[in-house]
């Protein structure tokens, strides 16, 4: 029974010949001609996908990418101690990386869209989970290569390990001078490269791929030491970042649970913001306003769940503020009504003054016409003058005649003497209408 179950897991009956496997891997290392053009086109497609934040376009670019070949070749060469193959694979790998960075940098340099969307941001924060994806993806890819029934495994591995997007994100970082994008993306690409190659190395030895060339044991030991060192150095930052990722996820879940349990009388939560990296929770409340005791109780409840968390409480729109606004509005309405009454009163006074002046002018005209019937019109006005020799307040009496007067100056002087006594105002001036006065001869 156990033997039959073990046979279901056996790959021996599906494994291709060692020479066919070797030829397949060697052919995959070569990146020139068709493969090179496909690589550049795939880089452009992936860059467009990242630029417009389209997951489907990015997946399409990963499907046609030939980047996996040199990486598998490095692992296979290390697994069989074929150092000439390793050098050739590394050479082609470096060439493809340079071409990819140049093409993606050129694209993002001319693209009018420079905003970093979620697809770009997702390639800047690798962690231990990316190590697992790269390692098991590399294993699946190598198993597909050694099997006669490859199916669509290589396609799935290309999507899972995602070698293209990190390189394009690095090109975005160079084009926009955002070096954090460059560093994060290159580290993710390094993780994928190292652990896909490691998976290929381990699988090569597990499948018992024969050594094509005999190698000095000292070189074997040195190669194994280099591989171990590279794997270890690549793994350490990802473990640290992975722990940070787990802690942030844990804090995010605790914070959401804390927020969902908040219930304060006469207040309601308008908005909340959780910052896992800083371990901060920001709350904005509406309602009557939180008392200091209520704020302290919230802080205490948070410390019970997450002792190192920071709580920021802000008061948004409150009912007490609404009451203040209503009071201020009522005061403004009262002041506006008072101003309207003052304007109405001033208007009435001005109208009364106008009527008074009109009635006075009519009386003066009637009295003047008794002695000087040639006067047909009379206007009286008060003026305010600012000068050193003129009085501040002065009345002007403007007289219009119906015929030419041979001595207008004499008439003006007589009317001035009469008007000053009649109106009891020494600051009074009588003027003959200019229309008539211009036609008069000088006395």
């Amino acid at each position: 029974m156990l033997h039959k179950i073990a046979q279901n897991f056996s790959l021996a009956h599906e494994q291709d010949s060692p020479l066919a496997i070797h030829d397949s891997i060697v052919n995959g290392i070569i990146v020139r001609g068709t493969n090179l053009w496909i690589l550049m086109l795939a880089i452009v497609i992936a860059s467009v996908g990242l630029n417009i934040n389209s997951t489907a376009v990015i997946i399409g670019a990963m499907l046609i990418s030939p980047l996996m070949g040199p990486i598998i070749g490095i692992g296979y060469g290390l697994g069989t101690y074929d150092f000439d193959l390793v050098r050739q694979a590394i050479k082609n790998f470096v060439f493809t990386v340079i071409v990819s960075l140049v093409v993606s940098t050129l694209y993002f340099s001319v693209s009018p869209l420079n905003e970093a969307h979620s697809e770009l941001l997702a390639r800047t924060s690798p962690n231990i989970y990316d190590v697992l994806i790269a390692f098991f993806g590399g294993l699946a890819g190598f198993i597909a290569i050694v099997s006669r029934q490859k199916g669509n495994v290589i396609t799935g591995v290309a999507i899972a390990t995602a070698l293209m997007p990190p390189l394009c994100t690095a090109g975005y970082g160079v084009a926009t001078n955002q070096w954090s994008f460059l560093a994060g993306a290159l580290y993710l690409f390094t993780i994928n490269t190292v652990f896909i190659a490691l998976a290929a190395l381990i699988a090569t030895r597990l499948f018992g791929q024969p050594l094509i060339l005999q190698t000095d044991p000292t070189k074997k030991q040195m190669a194994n030491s280099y591989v171990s060192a590279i794997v270890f150095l690549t793994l350490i930052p990802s473990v640290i970042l992975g722990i940070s990722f787990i802690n942030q996820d844990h804090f995010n879940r605790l914070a959401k649970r804390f927020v969902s349990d908040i219930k304060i009388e006469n207040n309601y939560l308008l908005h909340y913001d959780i910052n896992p990296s800083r371990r901060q929770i920001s709350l904005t409340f509406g309602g009557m306003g939180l008392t200091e005791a209520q704020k302290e109780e919230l802080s205490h409840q948070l410390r019970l769940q997450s002792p190192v968390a920071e709580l920021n409480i802000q008061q948004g729109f409150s009912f007490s503020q609404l009451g203040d606004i209503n009071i201020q509005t009522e005061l403004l309405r009262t002041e506006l009504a008072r101003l309207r009454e003052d304007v109405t009163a001033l208007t009435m006074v001005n109208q009364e003054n106008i009527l008074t002046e009109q009635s006075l002018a009519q009386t003066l005209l009637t009295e003047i016409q008794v002695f000087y019937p040639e006067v047909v019109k009379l206007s009286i006005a008060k003026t305010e003058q600012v000068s050193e020799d003129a009085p501040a307040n002065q009345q002007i009496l403007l007289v219009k005649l119906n015929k030419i007067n041979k001595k207008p100056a004499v008439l003006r002087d007589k009317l001035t003497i009469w008007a000053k006594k009649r109106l009891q105002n020494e600051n009074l001036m009588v003027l003959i209408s200019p229309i008539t006065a211009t036609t008069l001869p000088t006395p």
Side-chain angles (χ1 to χ4, degrees):
M1 182 66 180
L2 293 176
H3 178 70
K4 290 183 178 180
I5 294 176
Q7 284 183 340
N8 292 328
F9 292 94
S10 175
L11 297 174
H13 62 285
E14 297 178 0
Q15 186 173 338
D16 211 341
S17 66
L19 185 59
I21 295 171
H22 179 80
D23 292 340
S24 175
I25 293 175
V26 170
N27 291 332
I29 290 174
I30 300 171
V31 182
R32 63 169 179 263
T34 301
N35 280 349
L36 182 58
W37 278 102
I38 291 176
L39 172 68
M40 292 190 294
L41 295 175
I43 285 291
V44 173
I45 295 171
S47 299
V48 173
L50 291 169
N51 207 190
I52 64 175
N53 206 39
S54 173
T55 304
V57 175
I58 298 170
I59 292 174
M62 290 188 289
L63 290 176
I64 61 177
S65 167
L67 276 173
M68 182 76 74
I71 300 175
I72 293 291
I74 293 172
Y76 173 80
L78 290 172
T80 58
Y81 299 107
D82 188 349
F83 297 119
D84 289 335
L85 181 62
V86 172
R87 283 190 288 270
Q88 183 183 357
I90 291 176
K91 180 180 177 181
N92 284 280
F93 172 74
V94 172
F95 176 68
T96 58
V97 170
I98 293 174
V99 170
S100 301
L101 284 175
V102 170
V103 172
S104 60
T105 301
L106 289 175
Y107 169 80
F108 284 109
S109 297
V110 300
S111 173
L113 303 176
N114 292 322
E115 184 178 356
H117 296 290
S118 59
E119 289 292 346
L120 274 168
L121 294 172
R123 271 78 189 184
T124 59
S125 302
N127 53 61
I128 189 64
Y129 293 101
D130 294 291
V131 171
L132 298 177
I133 293 171
F135 180 75
F136 291 108
L139 281 178
F142 194 85
I143 290 173
I145 290 174
V146 302
S147 174
R148 289 190 295 269
Q149 301 177 3
K150 293 177 174 55
N152 60 354
V153 176
I154 297 297
T155 300
V157 171
I159 297 173
T161 52
L163 291 166
M164 298 285 289
L167 279 179
C168 296
T169 303
Y172 170 83
V174 174
T176 59
N177 294 325
Q178 299 187 58
W179 308 116
S180 60
F181 279 78
L182 175 64
L186 285 182
Y187 179 52
L188 176 58
F189 182 74
T190 301
I191 287 176
N192 289 341
T193 301
V194 170
F195 286 93
I196 290 173
L198 177 64
L201 185 156
I202 294 174
T204 298
R205 296 180 181 176
L206 288 177
F207 281 101
Q209 193 69 9
L211 304 182
I212 296 178
L213 299 174
Q214 294 299 322
T215 308
D216 182 23
T218 304
K219 291 184 178 180
K220 292 182 180 180
Q221 185 176 1
M222 185 178 298
N224 292 334
S225 299
Y226 283 142
V227 169
S228 300
I230 293 173
V231 170
F232 184 71
L233 292 176
T234 307
L235 186 62
I236 289 177
S238 68
V239 172
I240 297 173
L241 293 172
I243 294 173
S244 176
F245 174 78
I246 295 172
N247 290 335
Q248 290 183 22
D249 181 70
H250 179 66
F251 177 80
N252 193 56
R253 287 186 284 108
L254 285 178
K256 288 183 177 180
R257 186 172 62 187
F258 166 74
V259 171
S260 64
D261 293 337
I262 293 177
K263 292 179 182 179
I264 300 178
E265 187 177 358
N266 298 325
N267 290 276
Y268 53 94
L269 187 61
L270 291 173
H271 175 74
Y272 72 90
D273 181 67
I274 301 173
N275 190 331
S277 60
R278 297 184 178 180
R279 302 185 71 83
Q280 290 180 346
I281 302 175
S282 299
L283 305 176
T284 303
F285 285 92
M288 296 301 295
L290 273 68
T291 64
E292 291 299 325
Q294 289 172 328
K295 293 179 181 179
E296 182 59 34
E297 178 61 23
L298 283 176
S299 299
H300 176 69
Q301 293 297 328
L302 180 60
R303 285 194 296 270
L304 293 178
Q305 298 187 31
S306 182
V308 295
E310 179 183 349
L311 182 63
N312 297 322
I313 300 176
Q314 298 177 352
Q315 184 65 50
F317 183 79
S318 67
F319 296 143
S320 59
Q321 291 175 335
L322 179 62
D324 294 338
I325 292 173
N326 288 335
I327 293 173
Q328 293 175 6
T329 303
E330 189 61 31
L331 291 174
L332 289 174
R333 287 177 178 173
T334 303
E335 183 66 17
L336 182 60
R338 188 186 66 77
L339 292 175
R340 285 177 177 172
E341 292 177 356
D342 292 343
V343 171
T344 302
L346 289 173
T347 302
M348 293 178 63
V349 170
N350 289 335
Q351 290 177 350
E352 290 176 357
N353 291 336
I354 292 172
L355 292 174
T356 301
E357 290 179 358
Q358 288 178 348
S359 60
L360 178 60
Q362 184 63 43
T363 302
L364 293 176
L365 178 62
T366 303
E367 294 178 2
I368 290 174
Q369 285 179 336
V370 174
F371 302 100
Y372 306 100
E374 63 270 28
V375 177
V376 294
K377 188 175 181 181
L378 183 144
S379 300
I380 186 170
K382 294 180 179 179
T383 65
E384 293 185 2
Q385 298 183 5
V386 180
S387 64
E388 295 180 355
D389 55 350
N393 296 316
Q394 187 179 53
Q395 278 185 310
I396 295 178
L397 198 67
L398 181 63
V399 176
K400 185 175 181 181
L401 307 178
N402 64 351
K403 60 181 179 179
I404 299 175
N405 191 304
K406 295 181 179 181
K407 297 181 178 181
V410 175
L411 177 61
R412 183 185 65 218
D413 293 341
K414 290 181 179 180
L415 288 176
T416 301
I417 294 171
W418 175 85
K420 286 182 178 181
K421 292 182 179 180
R422 173 67 178 78
L423 298 175
Q424 297 181 354
N425 185 0
E426 291 299 323
N427 296 328
L428 187 141
M429 179 186 296
V430 176
L431 300 175
I432 304 298
S433 175
I435 300 175
T436 305
T438 55
T439 62
L440 297 176
T442 56

